[in-house]
């Protein structure tokens, strides 16, 4: 019979102690799950590799318009696998703890985030047109081989799934796990601040394919901070996903302001102004992103009556909700 400690538990053997020390940097034996940095990084890394493989296969074998439909379906599958696999397998938590409750309140917040994103993109277009930097040259153009409405539907599905994937990965998994791992080592506000900065920097870095000059990373860093702020204040992905989905969709497909994407456009717009002002990472867009962030703050303050770090951002409730 193995020796026992005073509390009645078996004393770990030499082998068990050695194994425990070897795996300590990557494994939390008390919680029986990976350490926080790995939980934060792996969903992004694994799903990013999956998406890269998906795109290389789909784009080699399919042509427009079937290519976009198949690719959107693949992104949806990766999104589901990331959300469920990341939560259940890596985090050992229910997926709703990421902020994906998907109840009526969730969808109302999603709609508010989408409305705010639509308003600020309309404002950006109005400023660009008013300054003579952009001209509306057509209506409902660029659908290609599909009728306009089905083409818009395909674009919306693609944008919505890709944006939701980014929010699950960068906010739901990365930010939350980094904040959760640092909480206790440093004060909660410092843990959350570090998590917001780290996840926003990674978010900006992974948009490098759209960047022609290092200064343009600032636009994506700013967007990451706005989306992270909405998540931290609510502990919920509804506002960030709603804002992200409708910002990307209305910018490119509704108001014709997305230079890096070739999509059907409800308003076909000719951009002639200086890139530093009306480029896709220009000053006008950046200022309206800040305005969007302020409107999100105002909504949360109105709805919740306060602004503060939501307890869910640094909480792990596996013991009460999983594995039963």
């Amino acid at each position: 019979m193995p020796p026992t400690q005073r509390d009645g538990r078996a004393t770990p053997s030499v082998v068990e102690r050695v194994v425990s020390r070897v795996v300590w940097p990557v494994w939390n034996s008390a919680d029986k799950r990976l350490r926080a940095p790995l939980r934060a990084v792996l969903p992004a890394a694994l799903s990013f590799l999956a998406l890269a493989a998906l795109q290389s296969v789909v784009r080699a074998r399919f042509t427009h318009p079937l290519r976009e439909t198949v690719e959107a379906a693949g992104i949806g599958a990766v999104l589901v696998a990331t959300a469920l696999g990341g939560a259940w397998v890596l985090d050992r938590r229910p997926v709703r703890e990421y902020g994906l409750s998907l109840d009526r309140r969730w969808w109302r917040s999603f709609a508010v985030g989408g409305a705010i994103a639509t308003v600020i993109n309309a404002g950006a277009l109005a400023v660009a047109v008013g300054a003579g930097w952009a001209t509306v040259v057509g209506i409902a153009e660029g659908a290609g081989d599909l009728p306009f409405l089905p083409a818009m539907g395909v674009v919306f599905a693609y944008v919505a799934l890709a944006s939701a994937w980014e929010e699950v990965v960068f906010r739901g998994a990365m930010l939350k796990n980094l904040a959760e791992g640092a909480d206790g080592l440093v004060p909660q506000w410092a843990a959350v601040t570090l998590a917001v900065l780290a996840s926003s920097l990674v978010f900006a870095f992974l948009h490098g394919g759209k960047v022609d000059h290092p200064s343009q990373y600032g636009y994506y860093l700013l967007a990451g901070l706005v989306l992270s702020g909405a998540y931290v204040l609510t502990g919920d992905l509804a506002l960030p996903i709603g804002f992200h989905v409708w910002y990307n969709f209305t910018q490119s497909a509704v108001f014709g302001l997305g230079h890096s994407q070739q999509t059907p456009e409800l308003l076909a717009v000719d951009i002639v102004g200086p890139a530093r002002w009306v480029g896709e990472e220009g000053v006008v867009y950046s200022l309206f992103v800040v305005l969007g962030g302020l409107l999100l703050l105002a909504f949360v303050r109105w709805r919740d009556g306060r602004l503060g770090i939501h307890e869910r951002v640094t909480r792990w409730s596996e013991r009460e909700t999983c594995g039963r």
Side-chain angles (χ1 to χ4, degrees), residues 16-274:
E16 289 172 332
R17 289 197 297 269
V18 171
V19 170
S20 178
R21 291 179 181 179
V22 169
V23 303
W24 183 90
V26 298
W27 185 254
N28 185 326
S29 57
D31 291 343
K32 297 181 180 179
R33 58 178 184 159
L34 293 171
R35 294 284 179 189
L38 288 173
R39 301 197 310 270
V41 170
L42 281 177
L46 294 176
S47 58
F48 189 83
L49 291 174
L51 287 175
L54 168 73
Q55 290 179 340
S56 64
V57 171
V58 170
R59 294 177 184 182
R61 297 188 179 185
F62 299 94
T63 58
H64 173 78
L66 185 59
R67 177 182 59 210
E68 291 80 4
T69 305
V70 174
E71 193 169 327
I75 294 173
V78 172
L79 169 62
V80 172
T82 301
L84 297 181
W88 293 349
V89 178
L90 297 178
D91 277 358
R92 298 190 64 227
R93 71 170 93 241
V95 71
R96 65 178 176 272
E97 285 296 311
Y98 277 171
L100 287 169
S101 60
L102 304 182
D103 55 16
R104 185 175 299 179
R105 175 186 169 93
W106 194 96
W107 286 109
R108 283 199 298 264
S109 297
F110 173 91
V112 170
I116 291 172
T118 302
V119 166
I120 65 170
N121 275 328
L125 176 62
V127 168
V129 171
W133 294 332
T135 305
V136 177
V137 296
I139 305 292
E141 294 186 357
D145 298 331
L146 291 175
F148 183 74
L149 288 180
M152 289 287 277
V154 170
V155 170
F156 180 78
Y158 189 99
V159 168
L161 291 167
S163 300
W165 168 75
E166 289 186 353
E167 292 309 304
V168 168
V169 164
F170 293 112
R171 258 60 70 176
M174 185 175 292
L175 191 160
K176 179 175 175 62
N177 274 301
L178 291 176
E180 190 178 282
D183 187 31
L185 300 176
V186 296
Q188 185 190 55
W189 67 267
V192 172
T193 299
L194 291 171
V196 166
L197 290 175
S199 61
S200 298
L201 285 169
V202 175
F203 176 78
F205 176 77
L206 290 181
H207 283 81
K210 295 183 176 182
V211 170
D212 298 321
H213 188 273
S215 63
Q216 295 175 337
Y217 279 107
Y219 169 76
Y220 294 104
L221 177 60
L222 183 61
L225 293 173
V226 167
L227 294 164
S228 296
Y231 181 66
V232 165
L233 295 174
T234 62
D236 198 275
L237 286 172
L239 276 178
I241 290 179
F243 184 90
H244 198 159
V245 168
W246 286 95
Y247 183 88
N248 286 1
F249 178 70
T250 58
Q251 184 187 73
S252 60
V254 176
F255 298 121
L257 296 171
H259 307 298
S260 67
Q261 300 171 353
Q262 299 298 318
T263 68
E265 297 171 333
L266 181 62
L267 300 178
V269 176
D270 185 18
I271 306 292
V272 296

Side-chain angles (χ1 to χ4, degrees), residues 286-324:
S286 297
L287 290 176
F288 275 95
V289 167
V290 172
L291 176 60
L294 294 174
L295 292 174
L296 291 172
L297 288 178
F299 169 71
V300 175
R301 178 68 174 82
W302 171 81
R303 186 192 66 182
D304 300 341
R306 61 182 291 273
L307 292 175
I309 297 171
H310 196 282
E311 63 175 6
R312 185 184 293 150
V313 177
T314 56
R315 183 185 69 192
W316 181 46
S317 58
E318 186 271 347
R319 293 177 180 84
E320 290 80 26
T321 56
C322 289
R324 292 188 178 182

